[in-house]
Amino acid sequence: MRSNPGVFLVLSKVLDLAVAPITWALALLLVAAVLRNRGARGFVAGVLAFAVLYVFSTGTVAGKLSALAERGVASTARPGVVYDAALILGGALDGSATALSGQTEIGEAAERLTAPLELWRQGRVKKLLVVGGDTNPVPGLPSDARRVEALLVAWGVPADRILVEERSRNTRENAIEAARIVADQQLTTLLLVTSAWHMPRALGCFRAVGLSPDVLPVDHRASGVLGYAYLPRADALNASTAALRELTGRVVYWVMRYTR
């Protein structure tokens, strides 16, 4: 199944909004407001809005959804292998904070950077391939990939050991553009590093373009949202939303035949 990359990118952002529990709650509140003078219907809609917001804001539900997103994910990195390259996917930087501060700000997925850096320091990878551009690039400012490259250099990695791809805007394009560099550089042994919840979709995309990297899942989330299990918390709502978005994304990518 073919699609226009630009259209798919826009639709994916709309879908992100559509699968968010807070969107459902706001829609139900709108229905409640419209039906406020129509007896029980408006009241029911309001109760449902509260229920949706509460349920997905609990650590119990967020934990189960996060665990579902990470189910079956395990490292296949081979201790005795020195990999030609570690593939570093985007998502480690906090784009909003970076735009506001003007400095490179690392987000909660920092292990996407620190894990491959440590592998390089241990001599287990020869090169680091930084994959991923910006969805909304700002003229005159470096892409996230270039910012990551600068961080790696500052942390001691020689510039000639870093490969950069800054055209791709989503996981599907990450795989396509990375495959071109892998072919051009004649890289054979590859290690894919990304968040555990993101790994199944990412690996599927790379397999779809003919690559079969070993994997190193990092940034595990399943065990980090279970505190205060039945009290509503903003971080639990964020975790639920992220898990729902990823699980929905896998279905969409499978339907589009972007993953294998």
Side-chain angles (χ1 to χ4, degrees):
M1 184 180 298
R2 296 181 180 180
S3 68
N4 182 294
V7 172
F8 180 80
L9 185 65
V10 172
L11 291 178
S12 67
K13 299 306 176 184
V14 173
L15 184 62
D16 283 350
L17 182 63
V19 300
I22 195 168
T23 302
W24 309 341
L26 290 174
L28 286 166
L29 285 175
L30 179 60
V31 171
V34 171
L35 300 178
R36 65 184 182 279
N37 296 323
R38 298 189 181 183
R41 294 180 181 179
F43 175 76
V44 170
V47 171
L48 287 175
F50 171 81
V52 166
L53 200 57
Y54 169 75
V55 167
F56 289 99
S57 296
T58 62
T60 298
V61 172
K64 290 183 180 300
L65 287 172
S66 297
L68 179 60
E70 296 181 6
R71 187 175 64 182
V73 174
S75 173
T76 60
R78 292 168 285 170
V81 174
V82 177
Y83 291 91
D84 288 340
L87 305 168
I88 305 174
L89 301 192
L93 303 187
D94 186 325
S96 297
T98 296
L100 287 173
S101 70
Q103 302 177 15
T104 301
E105 305 286 352
I106 302 176
E108 59 183 339
E111 283 184 285
R112 292 193 185 193
L113 296 183
T114 58
L117 173 65
E118 185 60 27
L119 289 173
W120 180 82
R121 288 175 172 170
Q122 294 172 0
R124 295 183 59 191
V125 296
K126 299 175 183 178
K127 293 187 177 182
L128 300 176
L129 172 50
V130 182
V131 182
D134 300 340
T135 303
N136 298 300
V138 179
L141 294 181
S143 66
D144 279 3
R146 290 299 176 186
R147 288 183 181 275
V148 169
E149 178 188 28
L151 281 177
L152 293 172
V153 170
W155 292 340
V157 182
D160 63 357
R161 294 294 180 179
I162 305 172
L163 302 170
V164 178
E165 182 286 308
E166 53 182 335
R167 295 176 57 186
S168 59
R169 299 164 296 174
N170 55 37
T171 308
R172 156 75 169 175
E173 294 179 2
N174 288 165
I176 293 172
E177 298 300 331
R180 294 173 180 171
I181 295 177
V182 167
D184 181 66
Q185 296 288 320
Q186 297 183 338
L187 306 174
T188 55
T189 52
L190 304 171
L191 183 64
L192 176 60
V193 182
T194 191
S195 300
W197 51 266
H198 182 235
M199 184 61 78
R201 182 159 58 100
L203 179 58
C205 286
F206 277 86
R207 285 176 172 169
V209 297
L211 298 180
S212 298
D214 288 340
V215 301
L216 178 63
V218 296
D219 181 34
H220 292 79
R221 307 285 178 90
S223 62
V225 292
L226 298 179
Y228 303 98
Y230 297 103
L231 294 179
R233 295 171 60 91
D235 59 344
L237 178 60
N238 182 60
S240 293
T241 303
L244 287 170
R245 181 184 299 123
E246 177 58 30
L247 292 169
T248 304
R250 291 181 197 175
V251 174
V252 172
Y253 270 49
W254 179 78
V255 170
M256 299 296 293
R257 299 182 183 177
Y258 288 169
T259 61
R260 181 177 300 175

